[in-house]
Amino acid sequence: MTSFGAAGALGAVFRPQLPPERLRSVVSAADEAGLEQLWLWEDCFLESGIATAATALAWSERLRVGVGLLPVPLRNVALTTMETATLRRLFPGRFAVGLGHGVQDWMGQVGARVDSPVTLLREHLEAMRALLRGERVTVEGRYVKLDGVALDWPPPARPAETADPGAVAASDTAVFAGARGPRSLRLSGAAADGTVLDANTSLAGIRRARQLIDEGRAAAGRTDRHQVLHYLNTATGPDATDRLRAELVREGHDPADGPGVAGDAATVAEAVAQALEAGADTVVLQPTADEPDPEAFVRFAAEEVRPLLR
């Protein structure tokens, strides 16, 4: 079983446009098919990331589950870290978490919008990673304020040598960050253990992201591994091309050359290979919002696409 962050890992998304009660059948299909990773979103105002992750982990035997992303303006860092540590103790090595700015319009709707999203994300990442390492944290930041806070039950550290080669989540203390712009990508390199690139990212965007992440890492003096996870718009089946074109239009892309792939397993596997070559370590197939059979989609990823990557 491939660790989170191991080079060449493949996953799929359960989109929150599906009702929560659909999750169980998708998890079962993914688990039975041998899918490596299932990723969830905490989008306003659809579904909770932590609640769905806990449920998916409990319903599966081996599936690794990630939340990408949790919007930090909605969350107190102590609570987010407690939830993460609890799931990592209950399901060692099977839970990944990513933090992001949140969609600013949504944050405004709930009264959580901040003047400096980059500052908030940096403070949240630094505090959360320290708490997960078992440290006692006192900080008086612009947004994050902690007074002698330490977890009673941090995730137990696992030596890096016990992990798969190249795995970033060797100790269950890793935190990913979602990033798009140059400042956020440099921040992720400096303050996170991995970066989540959304499905709006082109192959050139992956290469540029790697460069900016490395700039942030160099400025922070970091020499540990930093993993890049890329969501890939994916459609398969008889109407795949039409559904992908509609998805790209909804996202404001030119449907003729927007980021994504439509076609059979060989076509999708080639697109995955190109993303890996561009600098991604993990590719997560993101179905269209109107995917007619999400259970079949995760089986397609595991049983048809994955063997072509080997």
Side-chain angles (χ1 to χ4, degrees), residues 148-251:
V149 175
L151 298 180
D152 286 303
W153 299 106
R158 292 183 288 125
E161 58 267 21
T162 68
D164 292 355
V168 67
S171 65
D172 268 348
T173 62
V175 182
F176 287 73
R180 282 187 182 178
R183 289 183 64 203
S184 296
L185 287 163
R186 291 189 183 97
L187 167 61
S188 185
D193 302 291
T195 300
V196 177
L197 302 178
D198 68 23
N200 294 298
T201 310
S202 65
L203 294 176
I206 297 173
R207 289 188 283 269
R208 177 60 173 159
R210 268 290 185 189
Q211 178 183 347
L212 292 165
I213 289 164
D214 287 344
E215 289 176 8
R217 285 166 48 75
R222 295 190 64 169
T223 58
D224 52 339
R225 293 187 64 84
H226 186 103
Q227 301 294 320
V228 171
L229 181 145
H230 171 55
Y231 286 126
L232 176 65
N233 277 319
T234 305
T236 190
D239 59 349
T241 300
D242 290 341
R243 286 191 290 108
L244 179 62
R245 287 175 63 89
E247 184 90 356
L248 292 173
V249 169
R250 282 193 294 270
E251 292 296 322

Side-chain angles (χ1 to χ4, degrees), residues 9-21:
L10 185 71
V13 175
F14 175 87
R15 293 186 61 144
Q17 285 81 7
L18 293 167
E21 56 269 24

Side-chain angles (χ1 to χ4, degrees), residues 67-93:
V67 179
L69 304 158
L70 298 173
V72 293
L74 282 177
R75 300 182 144 271
N76 181 280
V77 66
L79 179 59
T80 304
T81 311
M82 289 162 56
E83 291 172 327
T84 298
T86 299
L87 288 179
R88 288 182 168 175
R89 290 186 72 101
L90 290 170
F91 305 99

Side-chain angles (χ1 to χ4, degrees), residues 103-113:
V103 176
Q104 295 307 296
D105 287 345
W106 290 342
M107 299 303 100
Q109 280 184 270
V110 297
R113 188 165 185 164

